[in-house]
Short mmCIF file of all heavy atoms in Angstrom, two decimals:
data_model
loop_
_atom_site.label_atom_id
_atom_site.label_comp_id
_atom_site.label_asym_id
_atom_site.label_seq_id
_atom_site.Cartn_x
_atom_site.Cartn_y
_atom_site.Cartn_z
N MET A 933 -3.33 62.02 -124.92
CA MET A 933 -4.61 62.29 -124.32
C MET A 933 -4.47 62.11 -122.81
O MET A 933 -3.91 61.12 -122.34
CB MET A 933 -5.65 61.32 -124.90
CG MET A 933 -7.00 61.41 -124.29
SD MET A 933 -8.22 60.22 -124.92
CE MET A 933 -7.99 60.29 -126.66
N SER A 934 -5.02 63.03 -122.06
CA SER A 934 -4.93 62.94 -120.61
C SER A 934 -5.98 61.96 -120.07
O SER A 934 -6.93 61.60 -120.76
CB SER A 934 -5.14 64.31 -119.98
OG SER A 934 -6.50 64.69 -120.11
N GLN A 935 -5.79 61.57 -118.83
CA GLN A 935 -6.77 60.70 -118.17
C GLN A 935 -8.12 61.39 -118.11
O GLN A 935 -9.16 60.76 -118.35
CB GLN A 935 -6.30 60.35 -116.76
CG GLN A 935 -5.08 59.47 -116.73
CD GLN A 935 -4.45 59.41 -115.36
OE1 GLN A 935 -4.50 60.36 -114.59
NE2 GLN A 935 -3.83 58.27 -115.06
N ALA A 936 -8.12 62.67 -117.83
CA ALA A 936 -9.37 63.42 -117.76
C ALA A 936 -10.06 63.48 -119.12
O ALA A 936 -11.29 63.34 -119.20
CB ALA A 936 -9.11 64.83 -117.23
N ASP A 937 -9.30 63.68 -120.18
CA ASP A 937 -9.88 63.71 -121.53
C ASP A 937 -10.51 62.36 -121.88
O ASP A 937 -11.63 62.31 -122.38
CB ASP A 937 -8.82 64.04 -122.58
CG ASP A 937 -8.35 65.48 -122.53
OD1 ASP A 937 -9.09 66.34 -122.00
OD2 ASP A 937 -7.23 65.74 -123.01
N LEU A 938 -9.78 61.29 -121.61
CA LEU A 938 -10.31 59.95 -121.92
C LEU A 938 -11.56 59.68 -121.10
O LEU A 938 -12.56 59.19 -121.64
CB LEU A 938 -9.24 58.88 -121.67
CG LEU A 938 -9.67 57.44 -121.93
CD1 LEU A 938 -10.13 57.26 -123.38
CD2 LEU A 938 -8.54 56.48 -121.59
N ALA A 939 -11.50 59.99 -119.82
CA ALA A 939 -12.67 59.78 -118.95
C ALA A 939 -13.89 60.52 -119.48
O ALA A 939 -14.98 59.96 -119.57
CB ALA A 939 -12.34 60.22 -117.53
N ASN A 940 -13.70 61.77 -119.86
CA ASN A 940 -14.79 62.58 -120.38
C ASN A 940 -15.35 61.97 -121.67
O ASN A 940 -16.56 61.91 -121.86
CB ASN A 940 -14.30 64.01 -120.64
CG ASN A 940 -15.42 64.93 -121.05
OD1 ASN A 940 -16.47 64.95 -120.43
ND2 ASN A 940 -15.18 65.69 -122.10
N ARG A 941 -14.49 61.50 -122.53
CA ARG A 941 -14.93 60.95 -123.82
C ARG A 941 -15.70 59.64 -123.68
O ARG A 941 -16.55 59.34 -124.52
CB ARG A 941 -13.73 60.73 -124.73
CG ARG A 941 -13.11 62.02 -125.21
CD ARG A 941 -11.93 61.75 -126.10
NE ARG A 941 -11.28 62.98 -126.49
CZ ARG A 941 -10.53 63.10 -127.56
NH1 ARG A 941 -10.31 62.07 -128.36
NH2 ARG A 941 -9.98 64.25 -127.84
N VAL A 942 -15.38 58.86 -122.64
CA VAL A 942 -16.06 57.56 -122.47
C VAL A 942 -17.14 57.60 -121.39
O VAL A 942 -17.79 56.59 -121.13
CB VAL A 942 -15.07 56.40 -122.23
CG1 VAL A 942 -14.13 56.25 -123.40
CG2 VAL A 942 -14.31 56.57 -120.92
N GLY A 943 -17.32 58.77 -120.77
CA GLY A 943 -18.43 58.94 -119.83
C GLY A 943 -18.19 58.41 -118.42
O GLY A 943 -19.13 57.94 -117.78
N VAL A 944 -16.95 58.47 -117.96
CA VAL A 944 -16.65 58.08 -116.58
C VAL A 944 -15.86 59.21 -115.92
O VAL A 944 -15.50 60.18 -116.58
CB VAL A 944 -15.83 56.76 -116.51
CG1 VAL A 944 -16.63 55.60 -117.10
CG2 VAL A 944 -14.48 56.88 -117.20
N VAL A 945 -15.60 59.07 -114.64
CA VAL A 945 -14.78 60.07 -113.94
C VAL A 945 -13.31 59.71 -114.09
O VAL A 945 -12.96 58.55 -114.35
CB VAL A 945 -15.17 60.20 -112.45
CG1 VAL A 945 -16.59 60.71 -112.31
CG2 VAL A 945 -14.98 58.88 -111.72
N LYS A 946 -12.45 60.69 -113.92
CA LYS A 946 -11.01 60.49 -114.07
C LYS A 946 -10.50 59.38 -113.15
O LYS A 946 -9.63 58.60 -113.54
CB LYS A 946 -10.29 61.80 -113.78
CG LYS A 946 -8.78 61.72 -113.86
CD LYS A 946 -8.15 63.05 -113.50
CE LYS A 946 -6.66 62.91 -113.31
NZ LYS A 946 -6.05 64.17 -112.90
N GLN A 947 -11.04 59.29 -111.94
CA GLN A 947 -10.59 58.28 -110.98
C GLN A 947 -10.79 56.86 -111.53
O GLN A 947 -10.01 55.96 -111.24
CB GLN A 947 -11.31 58.44 -109.65
CG GLN A 947 -10.71 57.60 -108.54
CD GLN A 947 -9.26 57.97 -108.23
OE1 GLN A 947 -8.92 59.14 -108.14
NE2 GLN A 947 -8.41 56.97 -108.08
N THR A 948 -11.81 56.65 -112.34
CA THR A 948 -12.03 55.34 -112.95
C THR A 948 -10.86 54.97 -113.86
O THR A 948 -10.36 53.85 -113.82
CB THR A 948 -13.35 55.32 -113.75
OG1 THR A 948 -14.43 55.60 -112.85
CG2 THR A 948 -13.57 53.99 -114.42
N ILE A 949 -10.41 55.91 -114.65
CA ILE A 949 -9.27 55.66 -115.55
C ILE A 949 -8.02 55.38 -114.73
O ILE A 949 -7.26 54.46 -115.03
CB ILE A 949 -9.06 56.84 -116.51
CG1 ILE A 949 -10.32 57.11 -117.36
CG2 ILE A 949 -7.84 56.59 -117.40
CD1 ILE A 949 -10.80 55.94 -118.20
N ILE A 950 -7.82 56.16 -113.67
CA ILE A 950 -6.66 55.93 -112.80
C ILE A 950 -6.71 54.53 -112.21
O ILE A 950 -5.71 53.80 -112.21
CB ILE A 950 -6.62 57.01 -111.68
CG1 ILE A 950 -6.31 58.38 -112.28
CG2 ILE A 950 -5.61 56.63 -110.60
CD1 ILE A 950 -6.53 59.53 -111.32
N ASN A 951 -7.88 54.12 -111.72
CA ASN A 951 -8.02 52.79 -111.13
C ASN A 951 -7.81 51.68 -112.16
O ASN A 951 -7.25 50.63 -111.82
CB ASN A 951 -9.38 52.64 -110.46
CG ASN A 951 -9.48 53.44 -109.18
OD1 ASN A 951 -8.47 53.80 -108.58
ND2 ASN A 951 -10.69 53.74 -108.77
N LEU A 952 -8.22 51.89 -113.38
CA LEU A 952 -7.97 50.91 -114.44
C LEU A 952 -6.48 50.75 -114.67
O LEU A 952 -5.97 49.63 -114.79
CB LEU A 952 -8.65 51.33 -115.74
CG LEU A 952 -10.16 51.25 -115.79
CD1 LEU A 952 -10.66 51.88 -117.09
CD2 LEU A 952 -10.62 49.82 -115.66
N GLU A 953 -5.78 51.86 -114.73
CA GLU A 953 -4.33 51.83 -114.97
C GLU A 953 -3.58 51.16 -113.83
O GLU A 953 -2.53 50.56 -114.05
CB GLU A 953 -3.81 53.24 -115.19
CG GLU A 953 -4.27 53.85 -116.50
CD GLU A 953 -3.79 55.27 -116.69
OE1 GLU A 953 -3.22 55.87 -115.75
OE2 GLU A 953 -3.99 55.79 -117.80
N LYS A 954 -4.12 51.24 -112.63
CA LYS A 954 -3.47 50.63 -111.46
C LYS A 954 -3.99 49.22 -111.18
O LYS A 954 -3.67 48.64 -110.15
CB LYS A 954 -3.70 51.51 -110.23
CG LYS A 954 -2.97 52.83 -110.29
CD LYS A 954 -3.21 53.63 -109.03
CE LYS A 954 -2.42 54.92 -109.04
NZ LYS A 954 -2.59 55.67 -107.79
N ASN A 955 -4.82 48.68 -112.08
CA ASN A 955 -5.43 47.35 -111.90
C ASN A 955 -6.25 47.25 -110.63
O ASN A 955 -6.29 46.21 -109.99
CB ASN A 955 -4.37 46.25 -111.95
CG ASN A 955 -3.75 46.11 -113.31
OD1 ASN A 955 -4.44 46.21 -114.32
ND2 ASN A 955 -2.46 45.92 -113.35
N LYS A 956 -6.91 48.33 -110.26
CA LYS A 956 -7.77 48.34 -109.08
C LYS A 956 -9.25 48.25 -109.45
O LYS A 956 -10.11 48.28 -108.58
CB LYS A 956 -7.53 49.61 -108.26
CG LYS A 956 -6.17 49.67 -107.62
CD LYS A 956 -6.04 50.90 -106.76
CE LYS A 956 -4.70 50.93 -106.05
NZ LYS A 956 -4.57 52.10 -105.19
N HIS A 957 -9.52 48.15 -110.72
CA HIS A 957 -10.91 48.13 -111.20
C HIS A 957 -10.98 47.26 -112.44
O HIS A 957 -10.13 47.37 -113.32
CB HIS A 957 -11.37 49.56 -111.52
CG HIS A 957 -12.74 49.66 -112.09
ND1 HIS A 957 -13.87 49.45 -111.33
CD2 HIS A 957 -13.17 49.94 -113.33
CE1 HIS A 957 -14.93 49.61 -112.12
NE2 HIS A 957 -14.53 49.91 -113.32
N ASN A 958 -11.98 46.38 -112.50
CA ASN A 958 -12.22 45.59 -113.70
C ASN A 958 -13.36 46.25 -114.47
O ASN A 958 -14.50 46.28 -113.99
CB ASN A 958 -12.60 44.15 -113.34
CG ASN A 958 -11.43 43.39 -112.80
OD1 ASN A 958 -10.31 43.57 -113.24
ND2 ASN A 958 -11.69 42.55 -111.82
N PRO A 959 -13.07 46.77 -115.65
CA PRO A 959 -14.09 47.50 -116.40
C PRO A 959 -15.10 46.57 -117.05
O PRO A 959 -14.82 45.39 -117.30
CB PRO A 959 -13.28 48.23 -117.46
CG PRO A 959 -12.12 47.31 -117.71
CD PRO A 959 -11.79 46.73 -116.35
N SER A 960 -16.25 47.11 -117.33
CA SER A 960 -17.25 46.37 -118.10
C SER A 960 -16.77 46.23 -119.54
O SER A 960 -15.89 46.97 -119.99
CB SER A 960 -18.59 47.11 -118.08
OG SER A 960 -18.48 48.31 -118.84
N LEU A 961 -17.35 45.31 -120.24
CA LEU A 961 -17.02 45.14 -121.65
C LEU A 961 -17.36 46.39 -122.45
O LEU A 961 -16.61 46.79 -123.33
CB LEU A 961 -17.75 43.92 -122.22
CG LEU A 961 -17.42 43.53 -123.64
CD1 LEU A 961 -15.93 43.29 -123.82
CD2 LEU A 961 -18.22 42.30 -124.04
N MET A 962 -18.46 47.02 -122.09
CA MET A 962 -18.86 48.24 -122.81
C MET A 962 -17.85 49.37 -122.58
O MET A 962 -17.54 50.12 -123.51
CB MET A 962 -20.26 48.69 -122.37
CG MET A 962 -21.35 47.73 -122.82
SD MET A 962 -21.36 47.40 -124.60
CE MET A 962 -21.78 49.00 -125.23
N LEU A 963 -17.32 49.48 -121.37
CA LEU A 963 -16.32 50.51 -121.11
C LEU A 963 -15.04 50.19 -121.86
O LEU A 963 -14.42 51.09 -122.45
CB LEU A 963 -16.04 50.64 -119.61
CG LEU A 963 -14.98 51.67 -119.21
CD1 LEU A 963 -15.29 53.05 -119.78
CD2 LEU A 963 -14.84 51.71 -117.69
N MET A 964 -14.63 48.94 -121.87
CA MET A 964 -13.43 48.56 -122.62
C MET A 964 -13.61 48.86 -124.11
O MET A 964 -12.69 49.33 -124.77
CB MET A 964 -13.12 47.07 -122.43
CG MET A 964 -12.58 46.74 -121.07
SD MET A 964 -11.05 47.58 -120.67
CE MET A 964 -9.97 46.93 -121.91
N TYR A 965 -14.79 48.60 -124.63
CA TYR A 965 -15.08 48.89 -126.03
C TYR A 965 -14.95 50.39 -126.30
O TYR A 965 -14.30 50.81 -127.26
CB TYR A 965 -16.48 48.39 -126.40
CG TYR A 965 -16.86 48.70 -127.81
CD1 TYR A 965 -16.37 47.93 -128.86
CD2 TYR A 965 -17.72 49.76 -128.10
CE1 TYR A 965 -16.72 48.22 -130.18
CE2 TYR A 965 -18.07 50.05 -129.41
CZ TYR A 965 -17.57 49.29 -130.44
OH TYR A 965 -17.91 49.58 -131.73
N ALA A 966 -15.55 51.20 -125.42
CA ALA A 966 -15.50 52.66 -125.59
C ALA A 966 -14.06 53.18 -125.53
O ALA A 966 -13.66 54.01 -126.35
CB ALA A 966 -16.36 53.34 -124.53
N ILE A 967 -13.29 52.67 -124.59
CA ILE A 967 -11.89 53.09 -124.46
C ILE A 967 -11.10 52.68 -125.70
O ILE A 967 -10.32 53.47 -126.24
CB ILE A 967 -11.26 52.52 -123.18
CG1 ILE A 967 -11.87 53.18 -121.95
CG2 ILE A 967 -9.74 52.68 -123.20
CD1 ILE A 967 -11.49 52.54 -120.63
N SER A 968 -11.31 51.45 -126.16
CA SER A 968 -10.56 50.99 -127.34
C SER A 968 -10.87 51.84 -128.56
O SER A 968 -9.98 52.15 -129.35
CB SER A 968 -10.83 49.51 -127.62
OG SER A 968 -12.14 49.30 -128.10
N LYS A 969 -12.11 52.25 -128.72
CA LYS A 969 -12.48 53.10 -129.85
C LYS A 969 -11.84 54.48 -129.74
O LYS A 969 -11.34 55.02 -130.72
CB LYS A 969 -14.01 53.22 -129.97
CG LYS A 969 -14.67 51.93 -130.36
CD LYS A 969 -14.11 51.40 -131.65
CE LYS A 969 -14.61 50.02 -131.97
NZ LYS A 969 -13.85 49.34 -132.99
N GLU A 970 -11.84 55.05 -128.54
CA GLU A 970 -11.22 56.36 -128.34
C GLU A 970 -9.72 56.32 -128.58
O GLU A 970 -9.15 57.28 -129.07
CB GLU A 970 -11.51 56.89 -126.94
CG GLU A 970 -12.92 57.37 -126.73
CD GLU A 970 -13.32 58.50 -127.65
OE1 GLU A 970 -12.49 59.37 -127.97
OE2 GLU A 970 -14.49 58.52 -128.07
N LEU A 971 -9.08 55.21 -128.24
CA LEU A 971 -7.64 55.07 -128.41
C LEU A 971 -7.26 54.45 -129.76
O LEU A 971 -6.09 54.19 -130.03
CB LEU A 971 -7.05 54.24 -127.27
CG LEU A 971 -7.23 54.84 -125.87
CD1 LEU A 971 -6.65 53.90 -124.82
CD2 LEU A 971 -6.59 56.22 -125.78
N GLU A 972 -8.29 54.21 -130.58
CA GLU A 972 -8.11 53.64 -131.93
C GLU A 972 -7.27 52.36 -131.89
O GLU A 972 -6.28 52.19 -132.61
CB GLU A 972 -7.49 54.67 -132.87
CG GLU A 972 -8.37 55.89 -133.06
CD GLU A 972 -7.77 56.94 -133.97
OE1 GLU A 972 -6.60 56.80 -134.38
OE2 GLU A 972 -8.49 57.90 -134.28
N THR A 973 -7.71 51.43 -131.04
CA THR A 973 -7.05 50.14 -130.91
C THR A 973 -8.11 49.09 -130.64
O THR A 973 -9.30 49.37 -130.73
CB THR A 973 -5.97 50.19 -129.79
OG1 THR A 973 -5.20 48.99 -129.84
CG2 THR A 973 -6.57 50.37 -128.42
N THR A 974 -7.69 47.89 -130.29
CA THR A 974 -8.62 46.81 -129.99
C THR A 974 -8.61 46.54 -128.49
O THR A 974 -7.66 46.88 -127.78
CB THR A 974 -8.23 45.52 -130.72
OG1 THR A 974 -6.97 45.07 -130.23
CG2 THR A 974 -8.18 45.74 -132.22
N ILE A 975 -9.65 45.89 -128.02
CA ILE A 975 -9.70 45.48 -126.62
C ILE A 975 -8.53 44.55 -126.32
O ILE A 975 -7.90 44.67 -125.27
CB ILE A 975 -11.05 44.80 -126.30
CG1 ILE A 975 -12.19 45.83 -126.37
CG2 ILE A 975 -11.00 44.13 -124.93
CD1 ILE A 975 -13.57 45.25 -126.23
N GLU A 976 -8.21 43.67 -127.24
CA GLU A 976 -7.11 42.73 -127.03
C GLU A 976 -5.79 43.44 -126.79
O GLU A 976 -4.96 42.98 -126.01
CB GLU A 976 -6.98 41.78 -128.23
CG GLU A 976 -8.13 40.81 -128.37
CD GLU A 976 -9.33 41.39 -129.11
OE1 GLU A 976 -9.26 42.55 -129.60
OE2 GLU A 976 -10.35 40.70 -129.18
N GLU A 977 -5.58 44.56 -127.44
CA GLU A 977 -4.35 45.33 -127.26
C GLU A 977 -4.30 46.01 -125.89
O GLU A 977 -3.23 46.28 -125.37
CB GLU A 977 -4.19 46.38 -128.36
CG GLU A 977 -3.84 45.80 -129.70
CD GLU A 977 -2.44 45.24 -129.75
OE1 GLU A 977 -1.53 45.83 -129.15
OE2 GLU A 977 -2.28 44.17 -130.38
N LEU A 978 -5.46 46.28 -125.33
CA LEU A 978 -5.53 46.97 -124.04
C LEU A 978 -5.40 46.02 -122.85
O LEU A 978 -5.00 46.44 -121.77
CB LEU A 978 -6.87 47.71 -123.90
CG LEU A 978 -7.13 48.85 -124.86
CD1 LEU A 978 -8.54 49.39 -124.63
CD2 LEU A 978 -6.10 49.95 -124.69
N VAL A 979 -5.77 44.77 -123.05
CA VAL A 979 -5.87 43.83 -121.94
C VAL A 979 -4.74 42.81 -121.98
O VAL A 979 -4.44 42.25 -123.01
CB VAL A 979 -7.22 43.08 -122.01
CG1 VAL A 979 -7.34 42.07 -120.87
CG2 VAL A 979 -8.37 44.05 -121.97
N THR A 980 -4.15 42.61 -120.83
CA THR A 980 -3.19 41.52 -120.68
C THR A 980 -3.65 40.64 -119.54
O THR A 980 -4.16 41.12 -118.52
CB THR A 980 -1.76 42.03 -120.37
OG1 THR A 980 -1.81 42.79 -119.17
CG2 THR A 980 -1.21 42.88 -121.49
N PHE A 981 -3.51 39.36 -119.74
CA PHE A 981 -3.92 38.41 -118.72
C PHE A 981 -2.67 37.70 -118.20
O PHE A 981 -1.83 37.28 -118.98
CB PHE A 981 -4.87 37.36 -119.30
CG PHE A 981 -6.20 37.93 -119.70
CD1 PHE A 981 -6.46 38.27 -121.01
CD2 PHE A 981 -7.19 38.15 -118.75
CE1 PHE A 981 -7.68 38.80 -121.39
CE2 PHE A 981 -8.41 38.67 -119.12
CZ PHE A 981 -8.66 39.01 -120.44
N GLU A 982 -2.59 37.60 -116.89
CA GLU A 982 -1.50 36.88 -116.29
C GLU A 982 -2.08 35.69 -115.54
O GLU A 982 -3.06 35.83 -114.80
CB GLU A 982 -0.73 37.78 -115.32
CG GLU A 982 -0.01 38.91 -116.01
CD GLU A 982 0.76 39.78 -115.04
OE1 GLU A 982 1.02 39.33 -113.90
OE2 GLU A 982 1.08 40.92 -115.41
N ARG A 983 -1.47 34.56 -115.73
CA ARG A 983 -1.92 33.37 -115.03
C ARG A 983 -1.60 33.52 -113.55
O ARG A 983 -0.51 33.89 -113.18
CB ARG A 983 -1.23 32.13 -115.58
CG ARG A 983 -1.71 30.85 -114.97
CD ARG A 983 -1.04 29.70 -115.64
NE ARG A 983 -1.45 29.68 -117.04
CZ ARG A 983 -2.10 28.67 -117.61
NH1 ARG A 983 -2.38 27.61 -116.93
NH2 ARG A 983 -2.43 28.73 -118.88
N ILE A 984 -2.59 33.24 -112.73
CA ILE A 984 -2.39 33.30 -111.29
C ILE A 984 -1.74 32.00 -110.84
O ILE A 984 -2.24 30.91 -111.12
CB ILE A 984 -3.72 33.53 -110.55
CG1 ILE A 984 -4.35 34.84 -110.98
CG2 ILE A 984 -3.52 33.46 -109.04
CD1 ILE A 984 -5.75 35.07 -110.46
N LYS A 985 -0.61 32.13 -110.17
CA LYS A 985 0.11 30.94 -109.72
C LYS A 985 -0.48 30.45 -108.41
O LYS A 985 -0.74 31.23 -107.50
CB LYS A 985 1.60 31.27 -109.53
CG LYS A 985 2.28 31.63 -110.81
CD LYS A 985 3.74 31.94 -110.56
CE LYS A 985 4.41 32.34 -111.87
NZ LYS A 985 5.82 32.65 -111.67
N ASN A 986 -0.68 29.14 -108.34
CA ASN A 986 -1.13 28.52 -107.09
C ASN A 986 0.06 28.35 -106.17
O ASN A 986 1.10 27.84 -106.58
CB ASN A 986 -1.78 27.17 -107.36
CG ASN A 986 -3.10 27.31 -108.10
OD1 ASN A 986 -3.81 28.29 -107.92
ND2 ASN A 986 -3.41 26.35 -108.94
N GLU A 987 -0.09 28.77 -104.94
CA GLU A 987 1.02 28.65 -103.99
C GLU A 987 0.87 27.42 -103.14
O GLU A 987 -0.14 26.97 -102.80
CB GLU A 987 1.09 29.90 -103.12
CG GLU A 987 1.43 31.12 -103.93
CD GLU A 987 1.57 32.34 -103.05
OE1 GLU A 987 1.79 32.22 -101.84
OE2 GLU A 987 1.45 33.45 -103.60
#
């Protein structure tokens, strides 16, 4: 599925999907839910958390 297809299916613009992939945008829970349903997966599978190291 292309970025444009996914964006259209979840009701956002393609640039939103691009920004999500580049970690430039934190999506709402509702958007994450919509994306997970379109990709037939879970939110947990889509999200990875990295601990921020204190310098």
Side-chain angles (χ1 to χ4, degrees):
M933 175 182 315
S934 72
Q935 292 167 328
D937 289 338
L938 179 59
N940 186 47
R941 290 180 184 203
V942 299
V944 298
V945 296
K946 179 182 169 183
Q947 191 62 45
T948 299
I949 302 301
I950 292 168
N951 288 340
L952 289 173
E953 290 178 352
K954 292 182 176 183
N955 293 320
K956 292 184 177 181
H957 177 72
N958 290 323
S960 69
L961 185 56
M962 292 305 294
L963 179 54
M964 288 300 297
Y965 178 78
I967 291 170
S968 71
K969 292 303 172 195
E970 286 300 323
L971 298 178
E972 297 179 354
T973 190
T974 65
I975 292 173
E976 291 84 4
E977 288 290 322
L978 295 176
V979 179
T980 59
F981 293 98
E982 294 181 18
R983 184 176 296 241
I984 299 172
K985 296 180 182 179
N986 291 328
E987 295 183 22

